[in-house]
Amino acid sequence: MDHITFLVAMVIVTALAFDFTNGFHDTANAMATSIATGALRPKVAVLISGVLNLVGAFVSTEVARTISGGIVNDKLVTPGMIFAGLVGAIVWNLVTWLLGLPSSSSHALFGGLIGAVWVGAGRNGVNFDQVVEKILIPAVASPLVAGLAALAATYFAYRITRRASADRVSKGFRIGQIASASLVSLAHGTNDAQKTMGVITLALISCGALGAGSGPPVWVILTAGVSIAAGTYIGGWRIIRTMGKGLVDIESPQGFAAESASTAVILTSANLGFALSTTQVCSGGILGAGVGRRLAEVHWGTAGQMALAWLVTLPAAAAVGAVAASAVVHGGTLGTVLIALAAVAVAGVIVVLSRRRPVDAKNVNDGHATPAPPAAGARVGV
């Protein structure tokens, strides 16, 4: 019992650590375009995003139930497997953060859990039909839907405002971006914060503290919400730079369109219990907004690097989770401690490497050149 208690405590701490990395990894989803267009100052943007992520954590628990009783068999899962899966997710989040790649924190978590449970409980421990239905299909469909919606919204935004002066259009859509970016943050809380709740709930079910099929207790919802909000406030500036400046030289109408489309997709999926990647949805929205403006410059090389990261994320995190699970399952408490120390060491090395070329609120908009603003009174084209 002491061993189980120790493992459950390790799972809860590690899950909240993952939630923190999820927060700063995914801040860009909500605020990258608003920061890039100047609609919000960087520090104000991350503060708003953090608060609304916390609020969103209390809006729905459908995604949490998908994690705790959907993709893996909760009767075969042990706290040690969950801990190993979380290690895989955290390591991949930190690696992609260092590279400035907006990969999916969600798929890192799913991959880590799948790899760890497969090693620890065998193939029957993973519900592959649910993985396909709830993860893989939404992973393909959601960025396409968001991209098409943002493309259409961008086209009509420029068509409707084509006779207005550029400065009035820019100012109006920047105000709109404050609302649309805030909604993305709220939606992010309803989806990504739920995943950590589901993991902790799964651990509590696995050790008998909760009954099978239980939803997350209030204290789990609160701690998960606070952790992702704190991570969001820290600001994943490297990834904000990539999404705000690396994909498209974005203007405020495009930012508003991308954020609005992403919000609609994320909230719909959260209501249905689909644990999709908000990173993929928001990236799809930004690309769609880029294509939707005539003569807009889309940086397809960066988009290709992101797509490659999306493809690699789930299997890479699964591989790390599988290795960690092998050590935890066969090594007991000693194996768990060694894996925890190894994860801390890797995290420390990554943080040290990040200091060589720091990105923060002061230089986040450096990088790809932003087009010079049109002269006052100029007309906006489609």
Side-chain angles (χ1 to χ4, degrees):
M1 183 67 182
D2 289 340
H3 177 64
I4 296 297
T5 301
F6 169 75
L7 273 177
V8 171
M10 288 290 290
V11 167
I12 293 173
V13 171
T14 309
L16 295 177
F18 166 78
D19 212 21
F20 182 82
T21 68
N22 191 351
F24 71 71
H25 202 280
D26 288 4
T27 308
N29 296 347
M31 293 299 174
T33 57
S34 294
I35 292 171
T37 63
L40 288 168
R41 294 194 302 274
K43 283 293 187 180
V44 174
V46 296
L47 176 60
I48 293 173
S49 188
V51 171
L52 289 175
N53 262 294
L54 177 58
V55 174
F58 288 86
V59 172
S60 169
T61 59
E62 290 303 316
V63 173
R65 291 178 181 273
T66 295
I67 302 297
S68 62
I71 64 173
V72 294
N73 187 337
D74 57 16
K75 295 179 181 179
L76 299 178
V77 173
T78 66
M81 298 176 202
I82 300 170
F83 169 74
L86 287 166
V87 168
I90 291 172
V91 169
W92 184 252
N93 264 2
L94 291 174
V95 169
T96 51
W97 165 75
L98 177 65
L99 297 175
L101 287 175
S103 66
S104 170
S105 296
S106 305
H107 288 180
L109 176 59
F110 301 147
L113 285 176
I114 290 169
V117 172
W118 200 340
V119 167
R123 188 180 184 281
N124 291 332
V126 182
N127 298 324
F128 285 100
D129 57 336
Q130 291 294 302
V131 171
V132 172
E133 178 184 347
K134 298 286 189 178
I135 297 175
L136 297 184
I137 292 177
V140 174
S142 59
L144 292 176
V145 172
L148 290 172
L151 186 156
T154 299
Y155 175 79
F156 286 113
Y158 280 105
R159 288 289 295 178
I160 292 169
T161 61
R162 66 186 183 278
R163 298 186 183 280
S165 63
D167 53 348
R168 290 185 61 189
V169 171
S170 180
K171 182 178 180 180
F173 276 107
R174 284 180 181 179
I175 295 172
Q177 274 194 276
I178 297 173
S180 60
S182 297
L183 285 174
V184 176
S185 296
L186 182 68
H188 186 267
T190 68
N191 200 288
D192 278 51
Q194 305 296 318
K195 292 158 190 169
T196 298
M197 298 177 205
V199 168
I200 296 176
T201 302
L202 180 61
L204 295 174
I205 291 173
S206 71
C207 72
L210 291 175
S214 297
V218 174
W219 69 267
V220 173
I221 297 174
L222 179 62
T223 53
V226 169
S227 295
I228 200 168
T232 300
Y233 180 69
I234 292 297
W237 303 110
R238 292 173 180 272
I239 299 175
I240 290 174
R241 173 187 284 181
T242 299
M243 290 186 71
K245 293 292 185 181
L247 279 176
V248 178
D249 290 325
I250 203 161
E251 296 179 351
S252 54
Q254 295 168 281
F256 178 78
E259 291 159 359
S260 299
S262 299
T263 298
V265 173
I266 295 169
L267 287 177
T268 300
S269 69
N271 185 57
L272 295 174
F274 292 135
L276 53 72
S277 166
T278 55
T279 300
Q280 292 182 357
V281 171
C282 294
S283 299
I286 292 172
L287 285 172
V291 175
R293 178 170 69 90
R294 181 167 60 89
L295 302 180
E297 184 179 358
V298 178
H299 305 291
W300 293 109
T302 301
Q305 293 174 3
M306 287 172 48
L308 180 61
W310 294 353
L311 290 174
V312 172
T313 291
L314 199 148
V320 178
V323 171
S326 180
V328 171
V329 170
H330 299 295
T333 301
L334 177 60
T336 302
V337 172
L338 290 176
I339 289 297
L341 291 175
V344 170
V346 170
V349 169
I350 290 174
V351 170
V352 170
L353 291 175
S354 73
R355 298 298 183 188
R356 294 182 177 180
R357 303 182 74 175
V359 181
D360 53 30
K362 296 178 181 178
N363 65 358
V364 68
N365 276 337
D366 296 345
H368 287 285
T370 304
R379 302 295 181 184
V380 178
V382 180

